[in-house]
Each structure stands twice: as C-alpha cells, then as structure tokens.
C-alpha cells in the first residue's frame, strides 16, 4: 500500500515548527496589509498581525495561489504516493474549492477534504488523518472517515469588540453602536460550514457561562455516549487565555484541554480579545 502524506493550511493553527515535528506540511495563508503581501507564520507573526490590526491597517485575507498549492503537492509526491489535503472550510473561503479543482489533474493521488472545519476542529482532523496514515490506511479510506465525521464538532466563540463584525458586514453599524453601549457580547457558533449567531449576553462573565453551558449541553445530548475532545482557542492575552482554560478544566474535569491561538484568518474577522471552546467527537476508524 502506498505512503500517504498529510497536508493542511495555516488556518488549522498548526505552526511550521509543529508541522516539522509532526511530519506534515502546512501551506501558509496569505494576507494583504496596506497592499503588501504577508504569509502567516512565515513573514507574518501573530504579534505583528495584532499590532497592525490595532493600528487600523487595511488587512484582507486571500487564498493561496494555485501555483503555491501545486508546488507543495508536487514536492510531497516526490516522496509519497498519495496526499490528504485538509484546507479550511469551503463555507468560509474559496480556497477549498480551488484546491478541489486543481486535484483533478492528479489522477486520484490528491484527496482534498472538504470537511468544513476551521482552527482547532481542523487541527483535530489533521491529527486524526495522521494517525490513520500511520496505521497504513489508504488515502481513500482516510477520506471516507473524515467526511463521515465532518459535522461531528461545535465551536462557540465570543468576541470582545463588535468593531470587526461591523466592518465585515455581519452586524449593522446601529446594532454595533447599541451593543457597545450596553456591553453586549455576541456568542457565535461554527457548526459545519458557517459562522452564525448563537446568543447575545451582557458582559464577559455571562458570555463564558453561555459557552460552557452550550458545550455541556452538546456533550449531554448531541454527543451523548460518544468519546469527545474539549479544546479551546483565543485571540485574547495569554493571561486571560490561561484563566479561560482553567474555567473549562473546572467545568469538564477529566478532559485533557488543548488550547491554541485562533488562526489569523478567523482573527481578521473578529479581532483581538476573543475566547472559544470546541467539542469534537473522536473519529471512529
């Protein structure tokens, strides 16, 4: 059976350093800041990104060029027989659709997984795929498992400011103004391919309680009897993130909570100061 390589993009939150340790490849996402091109975790650090965001720089996300995608795949196929490529959700970017089109020229050697995940849930798909490849499963077998399990995850996110949701057209200027005055915190949900509104509450204490209760409800009802991961993510300070992780551990004792910084493609649309929690079903294979 041929050797299967695992590749993803930087929306997974997996850094270039971590990718080397895992034995996978991570395609960096491109950003334009005041018209200048930057690549996540290559020429753009998290610190620099947030510095420019706070300076109100003109920041826009883009997708990897077809040439960069093809170059990565061609390089991998010099050593491996097949590739599992896990990009960010097709519902949040056209980069997945582009990759699926490009894969048609590879005679089935490249499997692009449109399993509609982002950040920590996308990262878990990558780790699952890596374990399956190590067990000797074929690219098609891995593809089948990931697609079967694709919607078995929830992410809840609370943003600190409505500024970026207003900028992206997700809330109206009037609603943003009222929300700021009332200290409203929108709790958002990523369920499958879309980022949707879940609840609106006043203040961080209520927002964190809402996210923890939503995750607990998922475990008790939707994922009852299933083996689960509980993960966390953030764009807030390290001190706040540590506190948030502690609250999750207190609510869900017995879980090994992995915490990551949210990928910059997500941060671009929600800004600094956010916190998130994810429930992800352990893939069955």
């Amino acid at each position: 059976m041929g050797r299967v390589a695992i590749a993803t993009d930087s929306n997974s939150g997996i850094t270039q350093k971590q990718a080397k340790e895992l034995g996978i490849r991570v395609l960096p996402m491109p950003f334009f800041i005041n018209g200048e091109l930057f690549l996540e975790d290559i020429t753009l650090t998290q610190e620099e990104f947030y510095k420019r965001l706070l300076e109100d720089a003109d920041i826009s996300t883009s997708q990897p060029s077809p040439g960069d995608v093809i170059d990565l795949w061609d390089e991998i196929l010099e050593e491996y027989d097949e590739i599992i490529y896990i990009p960010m959700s097709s519902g949040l970017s056209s980069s997945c659709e582009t990759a699926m089109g490009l894969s048609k020229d590879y005679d089935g050697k490249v499997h692009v997984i449109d399993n509609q995940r982002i950040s920590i849930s996308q990262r878990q798909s990558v780790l699952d795929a890596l374990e399956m490849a190590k067990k000797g499963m074929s690219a098609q077998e891995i593809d089948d498992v990931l697609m079967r399990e694709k919607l078995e995850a929830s992410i809840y996110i609370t943003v600190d400011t409505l500024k970026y949701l207003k900028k992206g057209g997700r809330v109206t200027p009037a609603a943003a103004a009222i929300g700021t005055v009332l200290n409203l915190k929108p709790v958002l949900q990523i369920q499958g391919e879309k980022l949707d509104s879940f609840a609106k509450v006043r203040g961080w204490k209520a927002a964190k309680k809402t996210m923890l209760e939503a995750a607990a409800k998922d475990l008790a009802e939707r994922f009852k009897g299933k083996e689960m991961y509980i993960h966390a993510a953030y764009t807030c300070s390290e001190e706040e993130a540590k506190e948030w992780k502690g609250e999750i551990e207190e609510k869900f004792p017995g879980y090994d909570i992995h915490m990551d910084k949210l990928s910059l493609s997500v941060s671009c649309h929600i800004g600094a100061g956010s916190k998130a929690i994810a429930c992800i079903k352990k893939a069955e294979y």
Side-chain angles (χ1 to χ4, degrees), residues 22 32 40 48 94 101 121 125 139 154 160 163 171 181 187-188 195 217 235 241 247 253-254 261 267 282:
L22 290 168
F32 285 93
E40 183 169 9
E48 178 67 14
S94 56
S121 61
S125 290
S154 297
D160 191 44
K163 175 181 176 180
V171 298
V181 170
V187 179
L188 309 173
L195 178 68
K217 186 179 180 189
T235 66
E247 290 177 53
K261 291 180 178 178
S267 308
K282 291 187 180 182

Side-chain angles (χ1 to χ4, degrees), residues 151-170:
L151 298 179
E152 302 296 325
S154 297
I155 301 178
Y156 299 96
I157 307 171
T158 299
V159 301
D160 191 44
T161 172
L162 295 168
K163 175 181 176 180
Y164 301 98
L165 292 177
K166 181 183 81 172
K167 192 175 178 182
R170 291 189 180 273

Side-chain angles (χ1 to χ4, degrees), residues 100-121:
M100 292 183 92
L102 295 172
S103 70
K104 290 175 182 175
D105 294 331
Y106 282 79
D107 299 322
K109 292 179 182 176
V110 178
H111 291 245
V112 178
I113 311 298
D114 182 16
N115 70 338
Q116 285 152 8
R117 295 193 176 190
I118 183 74
S119 185
I120 35 185
S121 61

Side-chain angles (χ1 to χ4, degrees), residues 44-107:
L44 181 64
T45 64
Q46 289 258 342
E47 293 72 25
E48 178 67 14
F49 173 83
Y50 287 113
K51 178 174 175 286
R52 303 298 289 273
L53 196 66
L54 290 170
E55 292 170 352
D56 268 342
D58 180 22
I59 302 178
S60 60
T61 55
S62 185
Q63 61 171 303
S65 72
D68 287 345
V69 177
I70 288 169
D71 286 348
L72 175 70
W73 292 350
D74 288 348
E75 189 181 320
I76 292 172
L77 288 171
E78 288 177 9
E79 188 181 344
Y80 291 84
D81 300 304
E82 298 179 294
I83 300 171
I84 289 286
Y85 179 61
I86 307 174
M88 74 185 290
S89 168
S90 62
L92 299 169
S93 168
S94 56
S95 60
C96 181
E97 191 178 346
T98 299
M100 292 183 92
L102 295 172
S103 70
K104 290 175 182 175
D105 294 331
Y106 282 79
D107 299 322

